[in-house]
Amino acid sequence: TLIPCTCKNTLLCLYCAHRRISLETGRGFNGFVCVSSHEVPHSFLSSVPVKQNHKCRSRLMKFEDCQRSREVGFVSSDPSFSVRPDGTVYAEQEVANLSEPVQFMVTARGLHDLHIWETTVKLALVGIEEMLSRVWDSQPRVIRFPRKHQRSSSANGLRRQKRDWVIPPINVPENSRGPFPHMLVRIRSDQDKDVGIRYSITGAGADQPPSGIYNIDPISGNMFVTQPLDREERASFHLRAHAVDMNGNQVENPIDLYIYVIDMNDNRPEFQNQVYNGSVAEGSKPGSSVMQVTASDSDDSTTANGMVRYRILSQTPHSPIPNMFTINSETGDIVTVAAGLDREKVSQYTIIVQATDMEGNLNFGLSNTATALISITDINDNPPELTVRTFSGEVPENKVNVVVTNLTVVDRDQPHSPNWNAVYRIVSGDPSGHFTIRTNPITNEGMLTVVKPVDFEMNRAFMLTVVVSNQAHLASGIQSSLQSTAGVTISVQDVNEPPVFPVNPKLIRFEEGVPAGTTLTVFAAQDPDHFIHQIVRYSKLSDPANWLKINRTNGQITTMALLDRESMYVKNNVYEATFLAFDNGSPQASGTGTLQIYLIDINDNAPVLIPREAQVCEHARPNSRINITASDADADPNVGPFVFELPSFPASVRRNWTISRLSGDYAQLRLRIPYLEAGVYEIPVIVSDSGNPPLSNRSTIRIKVCPCDDNGDCSTTGAVAAAGLGTGAIIAILICIIILLSMVLLFVVWMKRREKERQAKPLLIDPEDDVRDNILKYDEEGGGEEDQDYDLSQLQQPESLDHIINKPASGVRRVDERPVIAESQYPVRPSLPHPGDIGDFINDGLRAADNDPTAPPYDSLLVFDYEGSGSTAGSVSSLNSTSSGDQDYDYLNDWGPRFKKLADLYGGGDDD
């Protein structure tokens, strides 16, 4: 019976259900199962598929003798086919036609045994699908439980029993269309004739996940597959078949069933990426590696179903030839085939790569495609070329950092790369280094720039030779172009240059004290413009002490005042002044020059005594001495050593004091007498320097003589006495302090009294505060009630007083509520008041209000809508006027200015 075979390069495949045949399986090329036999029957015939025009290299059978000897020889009856010692059957020549089956005999002979085995082999051309259908539709075989053999003895000795045979695997193709359930095999026990047998299977796929794929009829022992299988999900199953009697007792030992899922080509190769990016340098030699593409197939990689082969479908563009690249069919490595890669012509190639399984068989294999983008990387195979052979430019003299001209260049290499970046060099024509060339990183142009001023009077033109190259070296074998060298002509433009002082700054030496009008020097400038005659004029630019002046025409410097070395404008004996020289060119140009005058010192400053004040004790002591020195503004040798001496007049100076020399610059002044009354004494001292001639100065030192304590320190009382303050002065100071304290006390008392007056409530409004006769403005409403921080509820009379009556007596009382207590008795104004009692009435009302505990404080909101329990006044409607004129209202004038208007209205005054 034919079954699918999976052994690589297998041509012939056998399967036999004969019980004495021991079968072995393998995996291989075309989906077949390879079978070999340990014991081959005397006669065996089987049909196998053979490919036409195929040189066979296939293992067919493996013969072994019963002693397991591997030294077996094979002989084929057909000279077109031979068998190697390992059992491989192969064709001796190319098979031209197998339209009819070919049959021949194979004989196996053991080298150490006389036994001979023979088998008949039949070769036939058949398709894979037909073979699968034969396997699927063939009569299912019966698998019996192995018999239990026992070793027995006889008269002739031990007799070897037959070995238990091995259960061959069950092969099931994946993706079968059914119908399901489909019977695979039948399980039988030899004891089913004697007892009732029940069959079952266990294992993954039966009673374990994934369960339900296989089942068995417990009575007949027919084993079924219930659904299509997927090898990529599970490639094999291991089941165990069991046989028990009706009571569940084991009748046979369990047998192992191995089910292999035969792979079908049901998966296309899948590329890891749809787009691959690779690169190769231009000018690469054939065979240069570019990149690798990889595809995987989910089918069995040991069979043709999972063996992927690659090929290139197309190349874009086709320049310079359509097939610039090739691909390794097994590894997917892409390499160059021909020379001629040029980035300047083609910078990128697009390659369509196809991956096909079945070892690349386009008729049976499944395919998939991917895109490979191959970038051609740049090498420096194009030298830069200057666009013209000669450049020209102009530059003004004395200018720097000015671009004279731009050198343009062409380079076909990758822009903005070291192969494209231009480097310019000046090889001749500029020995002094006046020019340099900087590269513009964007345009790659060379900017010829002046870095050192040029002088028209010295060089009117320059002829430069410029060479350009790349930042990177040229590729091997590339020659430099002649167009990488050019000449540059530069014309220098004459400009009006400022006058220049030949010596700047100019230093001269003079003694200080020279009189005004003294000529010091001639500070003249020169005009660099030799080809133009121009007049130079001078002016003073800076003269801090205003000592100098300059002749406008010839630059002669003359003094206007005495030069003093000790002036604050002289630094380190040097006085600086700045002058301006300008020409009459167009435009006018000017230059500055600095004149430095070194002033030589003369003895024109007398020494000054230091210190000017001192303090000693009234009793002569060892520490009652004063160290003195002198200060001289002059410089050496017109300073120390100094000479100190006391004058002859007044005579009391030399009588009370004496001076002793300590060193050239210091002396010591001390008391000559044992005691001197405390006080302040001014002692004249004559100090002389060492100049030629020497200068002397009579200076006065102010000495405070005071009584001292035991430590020789001047006491406080003594210091005051020494300061010249007598008893009268001290008393005067004390009196001033007492007067100052009295004024402060009076001011405090006045402030307290005024504070009390401010807190007292006036009885009547001051006439100055009366605003009734003024025009008031009432149309400003402000922001309304919402903008006012007033509690308007305090202006309302509460409807009920229960919450007030029930309040506790202690605590703080709200001032906006009317207390519920007996009201105070306010005075009642008589119906006909006397002019004199109006003041008494107001005072009585004020006292009643002050003594009224129900009255709110002055700073509280007052309730104006409560009028009390009654009123002594009558109704306003009861008022009437009389025309008799008998009533006299003149007394209203006596009440003050506030009632004057009322008196005028009723009295018939002038304002009526």
Side-chain angles (χ1 to χ4, degrees):
T1 303
L2 297 178
I3 63 173
C5 182
T6 59
C7 296
K8 186 174 182 180
N9 296 327
T10 297
L11 176 64
L12 306 177
C13 298
L14 300 178
Y15 175 82
C16 178
H18 197 283
R19 293 176 58 184
R20 298 183 61 208
I21 300 295
S22 176
L23 302 176
E24 295 180 354
T25 62
R27 297 281 176 184
F29 159 71
N30 56 0
F32 289 65
V33 174
C34 299
V35 180
S36 63
S37 173
H38 295 297
E39 297 181 8
V40 182
H42 178 71
S43 177
F44 180 82
L45 178 64
S46 179
S47 298
V48 295
V50 179
K51 292 183 180 179
Q52 281 189 323
N53 299 324
H54 181 72
K55 201 167 185 179
C56 298
R57 294 289 187 270
S58 304
R59 188 179 69 177
L60 171 61
M61 289 175 265
K62 186 175 182 181
F63 294 85
E64 293 182 358
D65 59 13
C66 296
Q67 284 75 29
R68 290 286 185 179
S69 174
R70 294 176 181 257
E71 298 178 359
V72 180
F74 302 96
V75 178
S76 173
S77 63
D78 191 339
S80 298
F81 299 92
S82 299
V83 182
R84 292 194 179 96
D86 61 355
T88 302
V89 178
Y90 63 96
E92 291 287 352
Q93 57 188 359
E94 185 172 328
V95 180
N97 187 8
L98 280 179
S99 58
E100 296 295 334
V102 177
Q103 181 174 321
F104 58 92
M105 182 72 68
V106 176
T107 303
R109 182 189 300 271
L111 298 181
H112 303 286
D113 196 343
L114 298 179
H115 289 86
I116 296 176
W117 293 271
E118 292 181 351
T119 184
T120 301
V121 177
K122 183 179 180 181
L123 305 180
L125 181 65
V126 63
I128 296 177
E129 297 296 336
E130 182 180 350
M131 293 178 60
L132 293 177
S133 64
R134 289 183 183 181
V135 174
W136 192 257
D137 297 334
S138 62
Q139 183 68 24
R141 67 178 184 267
V142 178
I143 297 178
R144 295 179 180 274
F145 285 91
R147 295 174 182 172
K148 300 178 182 179
H149 300 287
Q150 297 179 354
R151 300 178 62 89
S152 62
S153 60
S154 63
N156 296 329
L158 295 176
R159 181 170 58 90
R160 187 178 68 126
Q161 297 293 332
K162 196 176 295 184
R163 295 180 299 173
D164 291 343
W165 55 279
V166 179
I167 303 301
I170 303 171
N171 299 281
V172 181
E174 67 171 335
N175 302 325
S176 174
R177 298 181 180 178
F180 296 100
H182 181 79
M183 182 177 175
L184 297 179
V185 293
R186 180 183 178 188
I187 309 298
R188 277 201 60 195
S189 173
D190 293 340
Q191 302 183 35
D192 59 354
K193 297 178 181 180
D194 301 330
V195 296
I197 301 298
R198 293 292 181 267
Y199 302 97
S200 64
I201 56 175
T202 60
D207 60 342
Q208 299 176 13
S211 58
I213 297 178
Y214 303 99
N215 58 28
I216 188 171
D217 188 331
I219 299 176
S220 64
N222 295 333
M223 179 176 170
F224 301 90
V225 58
T226 62
Q227 62 188 35
L229 303 181
D230 187 359
R231 191 205 66 84
E232 287 71 40
E233 183 177 348
R234 191 180 183 96
S236 64
F237 296 86
H238 178 201
L239 304 178
R240 304 197 77 184
H242 305 271
V244 297
D245 57 15
M246 301 301 293
N247 296 323
N249 299 318
Q250 179 177 307
V251 176
E252 301 281 0
N253 291 328
I255 59 174
D256 292 322
L257 300 178
Y258 294 94
I259 302 175
Y260 293 99
V261 182
I262 301 174
D263 183 47
M264 300 295 290
N265 190 18
D266 58 345
N267 291 280
R268 292 181 180 272
E270 296 292 339
F271 283 95
Q272 294 181 358
N273 303 309
Q274 281 301 311
V275 178
Y276 291 84
N277 293 285
S279 62
V280 62
E282 62 175 331
S284 297
K285 297 179 180 180
S288 300
S289 177
V290 179
M291 60 190 301
Q292 183 184 30
V293 297
T294 305
S296 59
D297 197 314
S298 298
D299 292 324
D300 191 353
S301 60
T302 63
T303 68
N305 297 336
M307 294 181 180
V308 180
R309 298 294 182 264
Y310 304 92
R311 71 190 188 104
I312 294 178
L313 295 181
S314 65
Q315 167 192 309
T316 305
H318 293 170
S319 176
I321 60 175
N323 300 317
M324 288 294 297
F325 305 94
T326 186
I327 187 170
N328 188 306
S329 61
E330 293 186 2
T331 63
D333 292 322
I334 300 177
V335 297
T336 59
V337 176
L341 293 175
D342 190 352
R343 189 204 64 83
E344 287 71 40
K345 294 181 180 179
V346 179
S347 61
Q348 188 181 69
Y349 289 90
T350 301
I351 305 297
I352 304 301
V353 180
Q354 183 184 54
T356 307
D357 56 16
M358 295 298 293
E359 288 190 314
N361 191 321
L362 299 179
N363 294 327
F364 302 102
L366 302 177
S367 301
N368 215 335
T369 59
T371 302
L373 301 178
I374 302 175
S375 300
I376 309 302
T377 59
D378 183 52
I379 64 173
N380 193 11
D381 57 346
N382 293 280
E385 298 178 357
L386 292 164
T387 56
V388 295
R389 299 304 300 272
T390 303
F391 296 88
S392 61
E394 295 181 347
V395 57
E397 63 173 336
N398 302 322
K399 294 289 185 179
V400 294
N401 296 325
V402 176
V403 177
V404 179
T405 185
N406 289 326
L407 310 179
T408 55
V409 70
V410 175
D411 196 322
R412 292 180 295 172
D413 288 322
Q414 179 69 39
H416 306 290
S417 69
N419 300 330
W420 179 82
N421 296 334
V423 178
Y424 300 86
R425 292 182 295 112
I426 300 174
V427 296
S428 64
D430 185 24
S432 301
H434 291 281
F435 305 95
T436 189
I437 303 178
R438 301 185 179 96
T439 303
N440 189 322
I442 300 177
T443 63
N444 213 24
E445 295 180 348
M447 300 180 293
L448 183 62
T449 309
V450 182
V451 293
K452 185 178 179 180
V454 294
D455 191 353
F456 175 81
E457 285 71 28
M458 297 182 63
N459 293 297
R460 297 189 179 185
F462 292 86
M463 296 293 297
L464 308 181
T465 301
V466 177
V467 175
V468 63
S469 60
N470 285 128
Q471 184 178 348
H473 296 290
L474 286 174
S476 177
I478 306 299
Q479 300 295 328
S480 178
S481 173
L482 296 177
Q483 295 183 352
S484 61
T485 303
V488 182
T489 302
I490 302 174
S491 300
V492 181
Q493 297 176 343
D494 186 23
V495 297
N496 184 25
E497 298 178 77
V500 178
F501 290 91
V503 180
N504 190 16
K506 183 177 182 180
L507 179 64
I508 60 175
R509 299 173 65 90
F510 264 88
E511 284 188 353
E512 65 173 331
V514 295
T518 301
T519 300
L520 300 180
T521 185
V522 176
F523 197 28
Q526 298 176 358
D527 193 347
D529 298 316
H530 302 306
F531 301 98
I532 305 175
H533 179 70
Q534 297 181 133
I535 300 175
V536 179
R537 294 290 182 263
Y538 304 92
S539 65
K540 187 170 61 173
L541 190 62
S542 173
D543 183 13
N546 199 24
W547 288 345
L548 308 175
K549 67 178 180 179
I550 186 170
N551 188 290
R552 179 178 177 81
T553 304
N554 57 14
Q556 179 176 314
I557 306 297
T558 308
T559 62
M560 296 190 303
L562 290 176
L563 304 183
D564 186 6
R565 190 196 67 88
E566 290 74 34
S567 172
M568 60 180 296
Y569 302 106
V570 178
K571 307 297 181 185
N572 297 326
N573 301 330
V574 176
Y575 179 76
E576 285 190 355
T578 306
F579 300 92
L580 183 68
F582 52 92
D583 58 22
N584 59 346
S586 180
Q588 189 182 68
S590 60
T592 59
T594 301
L595 179 64
Q596 295 179 339
I597 306 174
Y598 186 88
L599 296 177
I600 303 172
D601 183 49
I602 62 175
N603 194 16
D604 57 344
N605 291 279
V608 178
L609 186 66
I610 299 175
R612 306 305 299 270
E613 292 185 357
Q615 182 175 289
V616 296
C617 297
E618 58 183 0
H619 294 280
R621 296 186 180 185
N623 57 354
S624 297
R625 298 173 182 178
I626 302 172
N627 293 331
I628 59 176
T629 184
S631 174
D632 198 326
D634 292 325
D636 190 69
N638 298 321
V639 289
F642 300 104
V643 177
F644 303 91
E645 57 182 347
L646 296 175
S648 301
F649 182 82
S652 60
V653 175
R654 289 194 173 185
R655 184 174 62 249
N656 298 334
W657 304 89
T658 181
I659 290 180
S660 58
R661 183 183 180 88
L662 296 178
S663 64
D665 294 331
Y666 291 91
Q668 194 174 75
L669 178 64
R670 66 179 185 274
L671 281 173
R672 178 187 294 269
I673 59 178
Y675 172 79
L676 184 63
E677 185 180 355
V680 178
Y681 299 87
E682 293 185 354
I683 309 302
V685 179
I686 299 175
V687 185
S688 302
D689 58 21
S690 298
N692 187 18
L695 293 181
S696 299
N697 183 25
R698 182 186 176 100
S699 300
T700 301
I701 179 173
R702 191 167 182 265
I703 301 177
K704 298 179 181 179
V705 180
C706 61
C708 298
D709 53 16
D710 296 338
N711 296 326
D713 298 328
C714 186
S715 61
T716 304
T717 306
V720 175
L725 295 178
T727 305
I730 295 175
I731 294 174
I733 292 174
L734 294 176
I735 292 175
C736 292
I737 294 174
I738 293 172
I739 293 175
L740 181 61
L741 293 176
S742 301
M743 294 178 62
V744 172
L745 182 60
L746 291 175
F747 179 75
V748 171
V749 172
W750 177 75
M751 288 297 293
K752 290 184 176 181
R753 182 176 181 183
R754 186 170 182 180
E755 182 67 20
K756 291 182 179 180
E757 293 176 354
R758 188 183 297 112
Q759 295 177 357
K761 180 178 179 181
L763 295 177
L764 295 175
I765 300 177
D766 194 306
E768 295 179 0
D769 297 332
D770 187 10
V771 295
R772 290 177 296 173
D773 296 336
N774 297 334
I775 298 177
L776 303 180
K777 186 175 182 181
Y778 295 99
D779 59 345
E780 290 187 358
E781 298 180 354
E785 295 179 356
E786 294 180 357
D787 293 341
Q788 306 299 326
D789 192 15
Y790 295 150
D791 186 3
L792 300 180
S793 62
Q794 298 183 10
L795 300 178
Q796 301 175 0
Q797 173 65 29
E799 298 178 359
S800 175
L801 301 179
D802 295 338
H803 65 288
I804 300 177
I805 298 174
N806 297 329
K807 278 189 176 182
S810 61
V812 180
R813 180 177 59 86
R814 288 182 53 181
V815 298
D816 57 340
E817 297 179 352
R818 179 168 54 88
V820 186
I821 57 177
E823 297 182 356
S824 299
Q825 297 297 323
Y826 286 86
V828 179
R829 194 178 62 148
S831 58
L832 294 177
H834 188 273
D837 66 352
I838 186 64
D840 297 333
F841 173 79
I842 293 176
N843 290 331
D844 294 338
L846 176 60
R847 283 192 296 270
D850 290 339
N851 296 325
D852 186 4
T854 63
Y858 295 114
D859 56 350
S860 301
L861 295 176
L862 304 181
V863 180
F864 293 98
D865 59 346
Y866 181 70
E867 297 180 352
S869 58
S871 176
T872 57
S875 176
V876 178
S877 59
S878 62
L879 297 179
N880 53 21
S881 59
T882 177
S883 59
S884 63
D886 297 335
Q887 182 69 32
D888 185 9
Y889 295 98
D890 291 338
Y891 61 87
L892 295 176
N893 292 322
D894 299 335
W895 290 2
R898 297 181 182 275
F899 295 92
K900 184 177 182 303
K901 185 66 176 178
L902 188 60
D904 294 338
L905 291 176
Y906 288 89
D910 297 336
D911 296 335
D912 190 0

